[in-house]
Amino acid sequence: MKLSRIAFTLSTAILATATALAQGKGSLRIAAIDVEGGQATLFVAPGGQSLLVDTGWPAHDGRDADRIVAAAKQMGLSRIDTVLLTHYHSDHAGGVPQLVARIPVVTFLDHGERFRPDPNSPVDYDEYLKIIATGKYKRVIVKAGDRLPILGFDAIALSAAGKVMNTSLPGAGKPNALCAKAPTPTEDMQENGQSLGILLRFAGLKIVDAGDLTSDRERLLVCPANKIGRVDLMIVSHHGSDWSSSKVFVHSLQPRLAVMDNGDHKGGSTSVIDTLKSSPGLEALYQLHLAPPAGTKNPGGTPQEGPEHNASDEFLANTAGTDGKRIDVTVNVDGSTDIRNERTGATKHFAKR
Ligand SMILES: [Zn+2]
């Protein structure tokens, strides 16, 4: 090869690398999209494959689907390969019809049949089934312990349809001393406890997103043995509601980083925020919104206290109103993590543990 040819090849390689870095290639990218107290978390694998966990709310003139599509386009996607519905409550599955009207979707994953009709979420499962009945999409039902049948991601179902995985993850499964003092919650009899919760592995890191899985099932995952072990990033369950994110679950998993998809009037319980802040090894908690104000009634009955029970300002994506600002997480191939607050524009770097 001539010298000029080598130089050309080298400069092309450098350019390609620079472009790849700019596009986040080689990294796992995660967008915690603000759907005002629901869930829509978009994961994009290094090869460009995409996994959307939940679709936000219905109605609102397609607000949540619009926000998802905007995030997808910014991340270079023209379609969403897989939509995973954790469960069939409105704030997770309600946005399906609006989403498929705006962007191509290939496959849906879910936990199977609805557990029971829910007066707070009467039509969302039926609307989803109508979308599947068009025959345009593949539907795959996932069981607890299954590896997710999707390209580009190393992910396992921690929970589904009220059950949790039987086995422990590699390196986990030790008896858990925290269980002795932990209360045994009553069994959840709604869709929340049916959540299809997942754990992703990338660059030696573990990322957990358990949907709205309730404390009774959380306990089964970490007691009497901790089947998961420590994790690096936690998408905080149930928007930070006090029905989930029990102390025994959070303090057994010891996340280094946590992102809470609360709304300004939903989730963000004082008790959960305090549990996260006191968790050993936590480096940062990000919230999509300021927690609801003192005096707000939390569903689990714990008192909502003052504004000091929040992450500090730089970790809040939305401090007032409904701007829909995101938290964007990039997990690099070396296991380090960069988290960007769209409101402030600031990115923080976190070294691998
Ligand atoms: Zn929810």
Side-chain angles (χ1 to χ4, degrees):
M1 196 183 282
K2 277 185 191 168
L3 200 60
S4 60
R5 176 76 185 141
I6 293 171
F8 174 77
T9 308
L10 269 176
S11 61
T12 307
I14 290 164
L15 255 180
T17 308
T19 310
L21 278 174
Q23 292 171 345
K25 289 270 170 60
S27 304
L28 171 68
R29 293 173 294 153
I30 307 165
I33 299 162
D34 178 29
V35 290
E36 310 294 342
Q39 182 168 5
T41 315
L42 182 57
F43 297 80
V44 181
Q49 300 94 342
S50 50
L51 167 66
L52 176 70
V53 176
D54 291 330
T55 61
W57 299 90
H60 305 287
D61 293 326
R63 175 199 65 201
D64 295 352
D66 285 341
R67 290 179 181 180
I68 293 165
V69 171
K73 289 195 170 153
Q74 280 181 27
M75 294 167 91
L77 304 177
S78 55
R79 67 173 197 194
I80 295 175
D81 296 311
T82 304
V83 172
L84 182 154
L85 297 179
T86 60
H87 63 300
Y88 304 118
H89 276 160
S90 293
D91 56 326
H92 297 257
V96 169
Q98 294 170 329
L99 184 74
V100 297
R102 284 164 173 76
I103 192 167
V105 171
V106 181
T107 303
F108 283 90
L109 303 183
D110 63 58
H111 71 63
E113 207 165 315
R114 177 173 59 181
F115 179 56
R116 56 171 57 165
D118 189 323
N120 296 318
S121 200
V123 300
D124 302 288
Y125 181 59
D126 299 327
E127 293 300 314
Y128 169 54
L129 290 186
K130 282 186 207 164
I131 297 293
I132 295 298
T134 62
K136 293 179 186 167
Y137 311 96
K138 190 176 169 193
R139 179 192 185 190
V140 181
I141 294 170
V142 179
K143 293 190 176 64
D146 284 358
R147 189 172 256 260
L148 297 197
I150 52 176
L151 284 175
F153 296 92
D154 174 11
I156 187 166
L158 299 174
S159 61
K163 297 195 165 57
V164 304
M165 63 178 181
N166 282 325
T167 52
S168 298
L169 297 176
K174 295 189 181 71
N176 188 350
L178 297 179
C179 298
K181 285 186 182 163
T184 301
T186 52
E187 186 182 350
D188 181 78
M189 296 302 281
Q190 290 189 27
E191 264 292 313
N192 296 318
Q194 308 295 306
S195 285
L196 168 53
I198 60 170
L199 182 130
L200 291 103
R201 287 173 287 219
F202 180 77
L205 270 58
K206 289 194 284 190
I207 300 160
V208 67
D209 181 345
D212 285 1
L213 196 71
T214 41
S215 297
D216 54 329
R217 268 71 174 208
E218 290 178 344
R219 191 185 161 94
L220 299 176
L221 283 166
V222 296
C223 292
N226 181 354
K227 294 177 176 176
I228 300 172
R230 293 200 296 184
V231 305
D232 295 279
L233 171 64
M234 174 178 278
I235 306 298
V236 178
S237 303
H238 216 161
H239 328 289
S241 155
D242 61 351
W243 281 352
S244 304
S245 301
S246 52
K247 192 171 179 181
V248 69
F249 185 67
V250 174
H251 287 208
S252 298
L253 267 52
Q254 297 182 24
R256 291 191 298 121
L257 304 165
V259 178
M260 180 185 286
D261 48 16
N262 62 307
D264 62 354
H265 284 86
K266 189 168 166 221
S269 299
T270 294
S271 61
V272 170
I273 289 173
D274 290 353
T275 292
L276 285 156
K277 283 181 165 182
S278 64
S279 181
L282 188 89
E283 294 173 31
L285 164 65
Y286 284 82
Q287 296 172 216
L288 286 187
H289 283 268
L290 266 173
T296 302
K297 200 173 176 334
N298 287 320
T302 60
Q304 189 67 4
E305 297 174 36
E308 68 277 18
H309 297 274
N310 276 288
S312 57
D313 184 81
E314 63 179 313
F315 299 104
L316 300 171
N318 299 278
T319 50
T322 53
D323 285 351
K325 294 285 191 269
R326 299 196 307 262
I327 296 295
D328 291 326
V329 180
T330 303
V331 184
N332 304 302
V333 280
D334 65 359
S336 66
T337 304
D338 293 296
I339 305 188
R340 181 174 186 270
N341 181 341
E342 190 188 6
R343 177 178 65 86
T344 65
T347 301
K348 286 183 92 72
H349 182 75
F350 300 90
K352 190 176 184 181
R353 171 150 54 191

